[in-house]
Amino acid sequence: MLTILTTTNTLSLALQRKDQDIVNATKCVQSTRTVLNELRENEWDTLVGEVHVFCEKHDIIEFDMEEAYVNPKKRRQITGITNKHHYQVDCFNNVFDWLVQELDNRFSETSSNLLVWSAALSPRDSFRDFNLENLMSLANLYPQDFDSRDLRDLDKDLRLYIADVRTDDSFSNIATITELSKKMVQTRRHIMYPLFYRLLKLVIVLPIATATVERCFSAIKLVKTCLRNRLNDDSLSDDVICYVEKEEMKKVTNDQVVEYFMARRKRMY
């Protein structure tokens, strides 16, 4: 467990950062998966050696790996496998296989490509990450929003857009795509480049349509307990929002809550 937690710690921290670099975070997922596979294939003997040293140091009796494995819950049952097979295949390998499978499920190739292609919209460092090919690939994922004619025009739209904003000083200090969308509206460039602005809006709502929704579903398991199983939809929605948006709820003081309910009480009379 120490080896696994150490290996996945960098990825865990990278995914928790609010200012994370999407491209580097995606690469970190791939590198973590590669390292986990290498540990599974090559580190069993190393782990056994470390366990042997630990047992000798603390006077712990070791199993003979070549002896038959005895299931502690069914001691009379003949398992037909050795201790080595149980701990290496059923325990060691299974844990790494489960971790790799979990990474593949949560960060599929399509999801990873979507994140990398979305990063091409980043305005940081004078639009350093801009990539025409990636943005066209991103637009192809939205056939209902971009038909074949739109895709042809989008290519020209993107070329004109990047040539325009890179020469405009008002876009030089922008760091996020949210700020970019606001600046586009302020300078009325959303009218000049409507197809690019459509693609930008789709990327902006992407985190809301994925991470926030997943957090809400996870929160429901904690909010809707057996004691709250009769909550109506509105009350459940309010409770989930309070649980998910904890940072915003901390800004609300008790006095504000009291004043709000006191004002509602007067209205009832």
Side-chain angles (χ1 to χ4, degrees):
M1 291 306 299
L2 180 61
T3 301
I4 292 172
L5 293 174
T6 303
T7 304
T8 58
N9 182 59
T10 301
L11 174 62
S12 178
L13 295 176
L15 295 176
Q16 292 179 48
R17 285 201 298 269
K18 294 182 179 181
D19 59 342
Q20 62 179 314
D21 185 341
I22 293 177
V23 176
N24 285 333
T26 304
K27 291 180 179 178
C28 189
V29 172
Q30 298 172 351
S31 61
T32 301
R33 189 186 186 284
T34 301
V35 171
L36 289 173
N37 277 327
E38 291 177 354
L39 290 173
R40 180 191 184 281
E41 296 296 329
N42 306 317
E43 293 299 318
W44 165 252
D45 292 334
T46 303
L47 176 63
V48 172
E50 292 176 355
V51 172
H52 178 71
V53 172
F54 181 84
C55 290
E56 281 190 343
K57 182 178 179 181
H58 298 279
D59 296 326
I60 299 175
I61 299 176
E62 298 182 60
F63 284 129
D64 185 346
M65 288 298 177
E66 300 304 324
E67 288 184 354
Y69 170 70
V70 178
N71 188 340
K73 295 182 179 179
K74 300 178 180 179
R75 294 186 175 277
R76 295 184 179 182
Q77 181 183 27
I78 300 176
T79 59
I81 60 175
T82 63
N83 286 325
K84 179 180 180 181
H85 182 278
H86 170 72
Y87 288 108
Q88 181 177 5
V89 178
D90 298 339
C91 297
F92 184 80
N93 289 353
N94 274 358
V95 170
F96 283 100
D97 290 341
W98 177 80
L99 283 173
V100 172
Q101 184 64 44
E102 193 71 14
L103 287 176
D104 290 342
N105 291 339
R106 292 183 176 271
F107 303 96
S108 62
E109 183 178 357
T110 302
S111 300
S112 299
N113 287 338
L114 181 60
L115 293 174
V116 173
W117 294 339
S118 300
L121 287 168
S122 175
R124 292 181 179 178
D125 301 328
S126 299
F127 301 87
R128 178 194 60 189
D129 296 326
F130 178 84
N131 187 299
L132 180 62
E133 183 179 352
N134 285 352
L135 291 178
M136 292 302 299
S137 299
L138 178 62
N140 278 302
L141 295 179
Y142 298 96
Q144 295 182 353
D145 297 279
F146 296 96
D147 56 25
S148 57
R149 180 182 299 177
D150 289 336
L151 291 173
R152 184 185 65 243
D153 295 339
L154 177 62
D155 183 273
K156 299 177 182 178
D157 223 25
L158 291 172
R159 296 176 188 275
L160 292 173
Y161 152 78
I162 194 62
D164 184 3
V165 295
R166 277 178 172 169
T167 58
D168 192 335
D169 293 337
S170 62
F171 285 84
S172 59
N173 296 322
I174 297 177
T176 65
I177 59 175
T178 304
E179 295 175 1
L180 174 61
S181 64
K182 293 179 180 179
K183 182 62 67 174
M184 292 277 295
V185 174
Q186 291 174 1
T187 58
R188 300 183 64 80
R189 280 182 170 82
H190 68 297
I191 300 176
M192 296 176 59
Y193 311 110
L195 293 177
F196 169 78
Y197 189 66
R198 186 188 307 171
L199 182 62
L200 183 62
K201 289 190 293 184
L202 290 172
V203 174
I204 288 176
V205 302
L206 183 61
I208 301 174
T210 53
T212 303
V213 173
E214 186 173 344
R215 288 171 59 199
C216 288
F217 277 112
S218 298
I220 288 178
K221 297 178 182 179
L222 302 175
V223 173
K224 192 173 183 179
T225 63
C226 59
L227 299 178
R228 302 195 186 103
N229 59 0
R230 295 186 179 181
L231 283 177
N232 58 39
D233 291 342
D234 291 338
S235 298
L236 180 61
S237 176
D238 293 340
D239 289 345
V240 170
I241 290 176
C242 293
Y243 183 86
V244 173
E245 302 295 342
K246 293 180 181 179
E247 296 300 323
E248 294 298 323
M249 293 305 300
K250 289 179 181 178
K251 300 177 183 178
V252 180
T253 64
N254 292 337
D255 291 339
Q256 291 174 324
V257 175
V258 172
E259 291 176 1
Y260 172 79
F261 280 102
M262 289 298 293
R264 287 176 59 89
R265 183 179 178 183
K266 293 179 180 178
R267 229 178 286 168
M268 292 175 62
Y269 289 113

